[in-house]
Amino acid sequence: MRIVIYSMLVLLIAIQYPLWLGKGGWLKVYEMERQVELQEAQNSLLSLRNAKLAGDVKDLKDGTRAIEERARVEHGMIKEGEFFVQILPADKSSAPQATKQ
């Protein structure tokens, strides 16, 4: 009777091994699901970036406002007849300091 019980136990373990640790086992499936979730999150971030870039391309193709804005911000260009005024923050080290005597 002991031989039957031990042989059944060995068969049960032999059947469970592929379920848990085999090629399509639970551990592999769990790891793959985690990788899919990470890839989907990355894909959603990239699709948002692509949508923003597509909007920029559309603005650059259709209108002159986007081109003008980029020229002003990125290259410091101004229109004819405009004045460019840059206000720098006060530097505390170069301000005259009063000395007490």
Side-chain angles (χ1 to χ4, degrees):
M1 188 70 180
R2 277 187 154 168
I3 296 173
V4 174
I5 292 174
Y6 288 134
S7 63
M8 291 294 216
L9 185 61
V10 168
L11 285 174
L12 181 65
I13 291 172
I15 290 172
Q16 292 292 317
Y17 176 79
L19 179 65
W20 292 97
L21 303 173
K23 184 177 178 183
W26 288 104
L27 297 177
K28 297 277 185 182
V29 170
Y30 175 74
E31 180 63 28
M32 289 291 185
E33 286 177 351
R34 192 176 64 80
Q35 288 178 1
V36 166
E37 288 174 3
L38 290 174
Q39 189 64 46
E40 286 175 347
Q42 185 179 10
N43 288 350
S44 66
L45 291 175
L46 291 175
S47 66
L48 289 174
R49 187 190 72 165
N50 287 347
K52 182 180 179 231
L53 289 175
D56 287 347
V57 168
K58 184 180 180 293
D59 285 345
L60 290 172
K61 283 183 178 178
D62 293 344
T64 58
R65 277 185 85 103
I67 296 171
E68 183 178 327
E69 180 183 349
R70 282 189 181 240
R72 289 176 184 271
V73 172
E74 294 177 4
H75 302 290
M77 300 178 90
I78 57 173
K79 284 184 179 179
E80 195 171 311
E82 286 184 337
F83 295 100
F84 177 72
V85 178
Q86 183 176 12
I87 300 173
L88 299 174
D91 189 16
K92 293 181 182 178
S93 63
S94 65
Q97 296 185 6
T99 57
K100 294 184 181 181
Q101 292 182 359

